[in-house]
Amino acid sequence: MVDLASLMLLMSFFGAKIAIAYVVVGLILAVIGGTLIEKLRLEKYVQGYVREIENTDTDFVVMSRDERISYSKDQVKDIIHRVWLYVLIGVGIGAILSFMMAVTALSLPSMIMPSKVVKPKLLVIFVFIVSAGIIIIGYLFNAFSYIFV
């Protein structure tokens, strides 16, 4: 719902009050929507493989400060080495798409990610909740626009 590109656009076009209101109502909608999905007990619509992911908790290892720093540097180097190209491509695609997509929460890239972990029925419910929330928020912004201007 809330992403940096939309926040920056709103900030530049409408100012800080509208941008902050966007973040606040977006987070409220996300919490209400998540709570609603939980209350409707829609866990059965999460893809099966998500439940099969093993717990990766490990034993606590005591390390000195220097060992932690060395370990952290090695991990950062490894992660950067493995993903830098994908991050660069993703940022490039995301920048092109951010100009073309007016609604970030319901855009094609935003639907592809959850569609990999939830079944179609839950995805449709998600789209309905987000659409209804966006419409309600739009009416509320119009009704109380004098506060933000």
Side-chain angles (χ1 to χ4, degrees):
M1 284 278 324
V2 178
D3 70 344
L4 184 59
S6 297
L7 179 63
M8 298 309 288
L9 283 171
L10 283 171
M11 183 81 77
S12 64
F13 287 131
F14 301 109
K17 288 181 182 178
I18 296 288
I20 291 169
Y22 164 77
V23 170
V24 170
V25 295
L27 292 175
I28 290 170
L29 176 60
V31 170
I32 291 171
T35 303
L36 182 61
I37 288 172
E38 180 183 2
K39 295 293 182 191
L40 293 173
R41 300 193 183 275
L42 299 173
E43 297 89 11
K44 61 187 173 192
Y45 296 110
V46 174
Q47 294 290 357
Y49 76 88
V50 174
R51 287 188 203 93
E52 296 169 5
I53 296 173
E54 291 183 30
N55 187 350
T56 58
D57 288 344
T58 59
D59 293 330
F60 182 73
V61 177
V62 178
M63 300 169 106
S64 70
R65 181 173 180 251
D66 291 338
E67 290 172 327
R68 282 184 282 167
I69 291 171
S70 176
Y71 178 78
S72 299
K73 285 180 182 177
D74 291 341
Q75 291 298 309
V76 168
K77 287 177 188 176
D78 182 50
I79 291 169
I80 290 173
H81 177 72
R82 286 187 288 147
V83 301
W84 73 270
L85 182 61
Y86 301 109
V87 170
L88 189 62
I89 292 170
V91 167
I93 291 171
I96 293 164
L97 290 175
S98 69
F99 286 106
M100 297 178 351
M101 304 289 181
V103 180
T104 59
L106 300 175
S107 66
L108 181 60
S110 295
M111 290 297 104
I112 291 172
M113 290 184 287
S115 71
K116 300 297 182 186
V117 293
V118 299
K119 295 180 180 174
K121 185 172 183 176
L122 181 55
L123 190 60
V124 169
I125 292 169
F126 169 78
V127 168
F128 175 76
I129 289 171
V130 171
S131 299
I134 288 171
I135 291 168
I136 291 168
I137 289 167
Y139 281 118
L140 289 174
F141 266 78
N142 286 338
F144 299 105
S145 62
Y146 64 91
I147 296 171
F148 303 110
V149 178

